[in-house]
Amino acid sequence: MNEAGQQGAAGHGAGSQDFNEVFQAELREVLPELALPVDADATIATLDSSDTDLSALCLSGGGIRSATFALGVLQGLARFNLLGQFHYLSTVSGGGYIGSWLSAWRAIESDAAIYSALNCSLSTAVEPPQIRGLRADSNYITPSMGLLSADTWTLVAVYVRNLILNWLLFAPLFAGGLLFPHWCYAVLGWARAQGDLDSGLWMKVGGVLLTAGLGFAICGRFRMRDKWLTRSRFLLLVLVPIVLSAMSFTFAAMVAREIYWTVLDGALYGFVVYFAAWVFGRLASRRWDLRVLLPDLFCWVGAGAAVGVIIAYGMHLVVQHPDNTKAIVVLGQSGVVLAYLVGDILYVGASSLSRRGEMDREWLARASGWLSATAVTWAVVSSLALYGPGLLLAAGPLAAGIGSASGLMTLFLGSSGLTAATKAAEVVKHISLARLTSVAAVIFALVLAALLALLGQKLATVLEFDDEPCPLRCELLVMVGLIACAFGISLFVNVNRFSMHALYRNRLVRAFLGSARGAVRQPDPFTGFDPEDNPCMASLRPKEPQSPLFHVINTALNVVSSRNPAWQERKAESFAITRLHCGNPYVRYRQTAQYGEGSGGITLGTAMAISGAAVSPNQGYNSSPLIGFLLMLFNVRLGWWLGNPKRLSSRGGPLWGVTPALKELAGATTDDGPWVYLSDGGHFDNLGLYEMVRRRCRFIVISDAGCDPKCSFEDLGNAVRKIYIDFGVSIQFRKLEIRPRLDGQAADPAAAGVRYAIGRIYYPGSTRPGWLLYIKPTYHGTTEGVDVRSYAAGHPAFPHESTTDQWFSESQLEAYRALGAHIIEEICSGGAGLVPGTSPAKPLTIQGLKTSAEKFLWGPGPMDSAGV
């Protein structure tokens, strides 16, 4: 905790806060009687020694299925007077739907009235309008079903509109970028036709650029410990000059009329350039180790001579075959860069006996990796730009059919509701699906690139000038114009506003937050939406002051290109949103009233929708570069760009929409820039447990309604693993025997009653372990009501139907709600159950819940010695 609270302190912006400040502010809300010291360690010690232990209720992700099951859980807890005893309510995705519904309702009515209403809905009383509203909007995306319904066609119209607006940005950008190789082709053809251009001048330009690039590289190598040559400086000072030198040599070869370079000339040229670079780099680094000076120089200039010979041979081939201009564009620059790589290989091999050591070879390997990536990327992109349009025209309808089919396959398979957790439970299916989707994504990307290249070239042809003296007036102008047009459009096409997020958020708000307002809601008679349904998070205070059940909405901050090597799998950070603060210890925290959209800060609906943004190009530990690339192109994205709390901008979103869009396309999201990309909390922790352990909660109840038909517990394992790695907190289960429903039948009779598990939470520095109750939807076919059994008989996948099903029927909603309430009733009553319409003999406390759950699970007798 203390370590996590200190992270991210460096470089924070004015007004940002660390976790200790945030946690103390929350404790003043949930434990106002607790005297809080300023020091972080003292705060934890005070909390550990207090008579009141923090308790939390976690509602997992899982779409409308999780929300409906969690509704039953809330009702069951309210019936036993337990709901109001939790200090925290932690929600993710679908759990956030119902958690936000409850928070919105609590801002309108008193807790006593709400808990009474939830309790009455389990008896013979009529349900309150807040629950009736949920039933009416179980198909929250399109409440009115049918092909010809207004809701269905509104959904189609909004998606098509936003897709077109996004493509008004992407199409010019990509078409202009793919026009660059065609411009290079036109320039080389024009240069060859002139006949009076000086090849020697371009050789000198290439030599100067190569000397500069290699000189900076040598300087960086010998000043490694000073960390002078960072990655950005390497790209600017080393890679760019080297690539430009390759272009200069290619141009020089194209305008040469005869072969005037012998092998000896090439070797001498390479010797001189590499010698000059070595002297420049050594002088700049100010490091002269006489023991390795001469051997290193000998190996270096020898490699340079070899590079000069290869370049001379390549120029010889170009002069002999000047008509193969397209091939020269594709292979010329890449070939020269590969010649540099050959030089690096020879140098490393020749200098292996020197005293430079392994770190120097690693440095050279990293530099060679960048050169290799540049050469391959140029070869692929230029091939698509120059040869793709011709192949596309030759293939005709076949190419169109293949491209469309692969695009649709990627769209539907890549954006499926399967998470990494559910995929891990079906390994064979996961592997075949991933491979199929990746292949489809590659095919579609190739066809799309060829089509955009063709469009760019056709536009350049249409605008060609009759008296054009050189291609600088046509291809270049069209290329610059298209890219400038894309950036201009991005000023108006907001990357947040014209994604699918708003469509998704507005319908969630109407269904859940609108239902919470009950009879006071006054929707627009035409659209059905009411702007008052979506309050600001900062204004969302319970009707009763200092009321517990402090709501934490969990999202994932995507860091797909994180520089932390340990995060290459998770690719995300937890990002919490409450009515007080937003952020995490890595990027610090901002006050919610000053963070996000509008003058009052981020709204509850936006936070709820971000937490449920399962479909996203960047999906935390489930991110895929190829699939993410195409999901972005199809505008299948529910995430949201918000200001970085440590570098907060005054705007509500990025000014240039193209910049974050390209980061999503390339999987280049980080937590360093001015804007961060937030998506489904399940992309980091689908249970909401991580943030509650960060807050040292000792009693935690988890409702895990994620899709897990095989009971692989991937979400639970993921959370427990990250909690131990990040906090050093160990969570152990005495038994974890929840079993799946087999072949559509009831669970194994031997497992009857095993619907949950009990774990112990061991906090470092504390002698008192915490207690965790883990609940999972299970169907036994023995004690459930007849309505649940009837639905289960006709739906073999119940209670783990696919997350892609977000259109719940009345019977489906009731089956999950009733199952959630039934499981809680069993746990709280020790398996005895309650007669419908009656109340418990006496209300329970959190300690009573613990005792009842342990007795029901483990039987009578002495409790576990590790008990709280």
Side-chain angles (χ1 to χ4, degrees), residues 288-343:
W288 296 87
D289 190 345
L290 297 179
R291 294 175 296 177
V292 298
L293 184 62
L294 292 179
D296 183 76
L297 175 60
F298 177 78
C299 296
W300 179 253
V301 297
V307 172
V309 170
I310 297 173
I311 292 177
Y313 181 72
M315 296 183 67
H316 175 83
L317 293 178
V318 172
V319 173
Q320 281 187 325
H321 306 281
D323 295 332
N324 296 332
T325 310
K326 287 186 179 181
I328 294 172
V329 172
V330 174
L331 301 176
Q333 177 179 321
S334 298
V336 176
V337 174
L338 290 176
Y340 301 155
L341 290 174
V342 171

Side-chain angles (χ1 to χ4, degrees), residues 146-209:
L147 182 62
L148 299 180
S149 74
D151 286 322
T152 300
W153 283 101
T154 299
L155 189 72
V156 173
V158 172
Y159 174 75
V160 172
R161 179 197 67 192
N162 292 349
L163 181 65
I164 292 174
L165 288 173
N166 276 270
W167 269 100
L168 286 177
L169 186 155
F170 289 127
L173 181 67
F174 294 147
L178 289 168
L179 200 57
F180 180 72
H182 191 267
W183 174 74
C184 293
Y185 166 72
V187 168
L188 289 184
W190 168 82
R192 181 69 183 179
Q194 297 303 303
D196 56 353
L197 297 180
D198 187 359
S199 175
L201 174 63
W202 289 101
M203 289 297 299
K204 295 174 184 176
V205 171
V208 171
L209 290 170

Side-chain angles (χ1 to χ4, degrees), residues 686-769:
N686 201 41
L687 301 181
L689 177 61
Y690 186 91
E691 288 294 333
M692 297 301 99
V693 172
R694 192 200 295 277
R695 286 160 173 77
R696 307 279 290 200
C697 293
R698 289 192 177 273
F699 290 94
I700 300 178
V701 176
I702 299 176
S703 168
D704 179 10
C707 187
D708 187 13
K710 302 298 182 182
C711 287
S712 62
F713 306 107
E714 180 64 17
D715 286 337
L716 179 62
N718 169 65
V720 169
R721 179 171 55 252
K722 289 176 179 173
I723 286 169
Y724 180 76
I725 292 172
D726 293 354
F727 305 132
V729 177
S730 175
I731 301 178
Q732 300 177 9
F733 290 87
R734 175 174 167 181
K735 293 181 180 179
L736 192 58
E737 298 179 348
I738 304 172
R739 302 180 186 178
R741 183 182 181 187
L742 304 176
D743 300 324
Q745 304 301 315
D748 187 347
V754 184
R755 300 182 185 271
Y756 61 95
I758 295 174
R760 295 287 185 264
I761 309 172
Y762 298 94
Y763 288 101
S766 176
T767 58
R768 296 188 302 118

Side-chain angles (χ1 to χ4, degrees), residues 577-594:
I577 301 176
T578 73
R579 58 182 172 85
L580 296 181
H581 299 92
C582 301
N584 69 32
Y586 302 102
V587 297
R588 309 273 292 183
Y589 292 83
R590 287 278 177 173
Q591 292 186 2
T592 303
Q594 302 171 1

Side-chain angles (χ1 to χ4, degrees), residues 1-2 5-6 18 20 23-24 37-46:
M1 160 79 85
N2 186 40
Q6 302 302 319
D18 63 21
N20 184 54
F23 187 43
Q24 288 180 333
V38 177
D39 180 71
D41 291 330
T43 298
I44 298 303
T46 302

Side-chain angles (χ1 to χ4, degrees), residues 831-842:
L834 292 176
V835 177
T838 64
S839 298
K842 62 178 181 179

Side-chain angles (χ1 to χ4, degrees), residues 458-784:
K458 291 294 184 182
L459 182 60
T461 303
V462 170
L463 299 178
E464 187 174 350
F465 300 102
D466 295 334
D467 58 344
E468 182 181 9
C470 74
L472 297 180
R473 289 183 56 190
C474 184
E475 280 86 355
L476 181 61
L477 291 179
V478 173
M479 178 179 65
V480 173
L482 287 173
I483 295 175
C485 178
F487 275 89
I489 292 174
S490 72
L491 285 172
F492 305 96
V493 180
N494 185 281
V495 70
N496 287 332
R497 190 173 299 118
F498 295 106
S499 68
M500 288 178 62
H501 174 94
L503 182 150
Y504 174 60
R505 177 194 60 197
N506 292 342
R507 281 145 186 81
L508 279 177
V509 168
R510 176 177 61 186
F512 290 91
L513 305 189
S515 296
R517 298 182 64 212
V520 302
R521 186 171 184 265
Q522 296 181 344
D524 183 280
F526 182 65
T527 65
F529 294 103
D530 184 348
E532 299 299 323
D533 290 343
N534 191 15
C536 293
M537 279 289 298
S539 65
L540 201 68
R541 293 188 173 273
K543 194 75 170 177
E544 298 174 358
Q546 295 180 337
S547 176
L549 216 59
F550 186 84
H551 193 185
V552 177
I553 299 178
N554 297 272
T555 68
L557 191 161
N558 285 266
V559 287
V560 177
S561 62
S562 171
R563 297 182 182 180
N564 186 343
W567 288 3
Q568 294 182 73
E569 180 184 10
R570 60 174 66 181
K571 302 177 183 177
E573 304 167 3
S574 176
F575 190 97
I577 301 176
T578 73
R579 58 182 172 85
L580 296 181
H581 299 92
C582 301
N584 69 32
Y586 302 102
V587 297
R588 309 273 292 183
Y589 292 83
R590 287 278 177 173
Q591 292 186 2
T592 303
Q594 302 171 1
Y595 184 73
E597 53 193 340
S599 57
I602 190 170
T603 63
L604 176 61
T606 297
M608 171 180 61
I610 293 173
S611 180
V615 181
S616 172
N618 291 183
Q619 303 178 24
Y621 64 94
N622 198 33
S623 298
S624 168
L626 282 174
I627 296 174
F629 175 81
L630 293 182
L631 290 181
M632 181 64 193
L633 292 183
F634 278 112
N635 200 30
V636 183
R637 37 190 296 275
L638 298 177
W640 194 262
W641 285 90
L642 281 171
N644 192 327
K646 64 182 177 184
R647 300 177 57 186
L648 187 61
S649 170
S650 59
R651 296 191 303 272
L655 176 63
W656 298 94
V658 67
T659 304
L662 290 177
K663 287 187 176 181
E664 286 185 64
L665 280 170
T669 51
T670 69
D671 61 359
D672 296 327
W675 304 96
V676 293
Y677 185 64
L678 305 182
S679 64
D680 194 316
H683 296 156
F684 180 82
D685 165 28
N686 201 41
L687 301 181
L689 177 61
Y690 186 91
E691 288 294 333
M692 297 301 99
V693 172
R694 192 200 295 277
R695 286 160 173 77
R696 307 279 290 200
C697 293
R698 289 192 177 273
F699 290 94
I700 300 178
V701 176
I702 299 176
S703 168
D704 179 10
C707 187
D708 187 13
K710 302 298 182 182
C711 287
S712 62
F713 306 107
E714 180 64 17
D715 286 337
L716 179 62
N718 169 65
V720 169
R721 179 171 55 252
K722 289 176 179 173
I723 286 169
Y724 180 76
I725 292 172
D726 293 354
F727 305 132
V729 177
S730 175
I731 301 178
Q732 300 177 9
F733 290 87
R734 175 174 167 181
K735 293 181 180 179
L736 192 58
E737 298 179 348
I738 304 172
R739 302 180 186 178
R741 183 182 181 187
L742 304 176
D743 300 324
Q745 304 301 315
D748 187 347
V754 184
R755 300 182 185 271
Y756 61 95
I758 295 174
R760 295 287 185 264
I761 309 172
Y762 298 94
Y763 288 101
S766 176
T767 58
R768 296 188 302 118
W771 184 82
L772 186 150
L773 175 63
Y774 175 76
I775 303 170
K776 203 170 187 67
T778 51
Y779 175 69
H780 295 151
T782 54
T783 60
E784 295 88 354

